[in-house]
Amino acid sequence: MCRLLGYATSGRNLSLQDVLGTRLAEQYRQQSMIHNDGWGCALITEPTVTRHFSDGGARTPETATRVYKSTVAARFDQIYQLVSRQGARGGIYHLRLASSGLPLIIENQQPFFCDGLSFMHNGDISSEETGLNIVTNRDFPVDREILAETGGRSDSAIYFALILERVRRGCTLAESVSQAVAQLRREYPLSSYNCMLQSENELVVLRACTRTTVSPRVIELYESYGMEQYAHDYRVIRYRRLNTGGVVAASSGFDQPAEYGWTELPNDHMIVASNRTGQFRLRTL
């Protein structure tokens, strides 16, 4: 159970603080009081030196990707403050509250990164009947070699592996996400599949959760921190158009007033955005 935030600009390097403003950026960070099992982010930027420059090693790439992960809560990690001021034309941020029984290890910190794609997920993919997480289901049809390439050992890593399988077959990012969710829902229909997937060119944000009510565990947890006002729309994702072109989308948990342009993403819908032009559209799952 995690908090997600992602943005795609019109090709401009903007930091998290540029996108949200100082107050909301700090509100997002303070959610790590509850979502305190580490954090991570992946930033897509223009290289700081000339593209294709050769200095004896690999040539400078067209796009630089920065991935940061920590098992320290964001509110206690000084690196987080530095990273949140780094400009990027696209970025995704993840505050983790680990799924039940999954270890707090760096391998399970998100976003995962493989094949130039970064991925993060908010949900616990478990059986409604047994309560067992998908990681215990050795018969679930996922390519184990691709799963190993994600570096993770969690339900979210399995989700990402299913997406990677389809991307490698030539499917678009949006279609890969859609097909992966369809497969997972056949066996785990009530789990939450809210996620964000980012490439060098594109951001995909999905809201997909069959269950509309929030579990008592989540409500009790938020109440224990005096933040119950943010618990009842726990699975909601909202988005806002950026003034300079592009879009920012985020899980609930901090102020997202409609009068400032925040709009709720309908369930079983996704945002598909370019981090080069800032253009974005909504499509159904």
Side-chain angles (χ1 to χ4, degrees):
M1 299 187 296
C2 308
R3 299 290 81 184
L4 315 179
L5 184 146
Y7 64 91
T9 77
S10 56
R12 303 177 57 174
N13 281 343
L14 299 178
S15 70
L16 178 64
Q17 299 209 16
D18 293 331
V19 169
L20 288 183
T22 303
R23 183 180 68 87
L24 290 188
E26 183 58 23
Q27 273 195 2
Y28 179 76
R29 182 191 185 198
Q30 286 304 318
Q31 291 179 100
S32 63
M33 177 169 53
I34 298 173
H35 298 267
N36 55 19
D37 291 325
W39 71 280
C41 73
L43 305 178
I44 302 296
T45 65
E46 299 299 323
T48 55
V49 296
T50 306
R51 298 178 184 184
H52 307 302
F53 177 76
S54 178
D55 61 354
R59 291 180 178 274
T60 305
E62 291 280 346
T63 299
T65 302
R66 299 172 180 172
V67 180
Y68 301 89
K69 296 184 185 184
S70 174
T71 57
V72 177
R75 62 197 291 255
F76 296 129
D77 195 336
Q78 294 180 348
I79 298 298
Y80 182 94
Q81 283 289 71
L82 296 174
V83 172
S84 69
R85 295 188 178 98
Q86 291 187 23
R89 70 167 187 258
I92 59 176
Y93 282 78
H94 182 270
L95 305 178
R96 186 183 184 209
L97 182 61
S99 297
S100 301
L102 297 183
L104 181 57
I105 56 176
I106 198 68
E107 292 93 325
N108 283 341
Q109 294 304 120
Q110 298 178 46
F112 298 120
F113 185 80
C114 184
D115 289 1
L117 302 176
S118 46
F119 172 81
M120 58 189 189
H121 164 231
N122 172 34
D124 185 334
I125 306 175
S126 297
S127 167
E128 193 69 15
E129 292 76 23
T130 65
L132 293 176
N133 192 278
I134 191 175
V135 297
T136 66
N137 185 355
R138 300 299 299 176
D139 295 325
F140 188 82
V142 60
D143 187 311
R144 297 290 162 177
E145 290 187 4
I146 296 179
L147 176 58
E149 290 178 38
T150 70
R153 307 178 191 175
S154 65
D155 48 1
S156 300
I158 292 173
Y159 189 179
F160 186 30
L162 294 176
I163 293 170
L164 287 170
E165 286 184 54
R166 288 154 175 83
V167 171
R168 291 180 181 184
R169 293 176 197 158
C171 295
T172 65
L173 298 190
E175 190 57 35
S176 296
V177 171
S178 182
Q179 289 182 22
V181 172
Q183 179 180 348
L184 287 163
R185 275 182 166 170
R186 286 194 287 271
E187 195 157 343
Y188 300 92
L190 299 183
S191 293
S192 172
Y193 298 103
N194 290 3
C195 72
M196 296 188 184
L197 178 69
Q198 179 180 249
S199 72
E200 293 184 357
N201 303 307
E202 201 168 54
L203 171 69
V204 174
V205 176
L206 173 67
R207 179 186 175 192
C209 43
T210 305
R211 212 175 322 183
T212 56
T213 58
V214 180
S215 73
R217 176 196 170 198
V218 171
I219 293 175
E220 290 172 5
L221 182 61
Y222 271 70
E223 286 177 344
S224 69
Y225 285 91
M227 297 178 68
E228 57 272 15
Q229 72 271 28
Y230 294 119
H232 297 280
D233 61 352
Y234 182 76
R235 295 187 178 90
V236 170
I237 290 178
R238 296 183 179 90
Y239 66 97
R240 178 176 65 82
R241 187 183 299 271
L242 300 179
N243 293 334
T244 55
V247 65
V248 57
S251 305
S252 59
F254 64 99
D255 293 341
Q256 299 165 340
E259 58 266 32
Y260 287 97
W262 288 94
T263 302
E264 185 173 326
L265 180 64
N267 199 17
D268 287 340
H269 281 67
M270 65 177 75
I271 300 167
V272 182
S274 167
N275 60 40
R276 294 184 182 273
T277 68
Q279 295 180 341
F280 68 93
R281 61 185 175 88
L282 269 58
R283 58 158 281 180
T284 59
L285 184 58

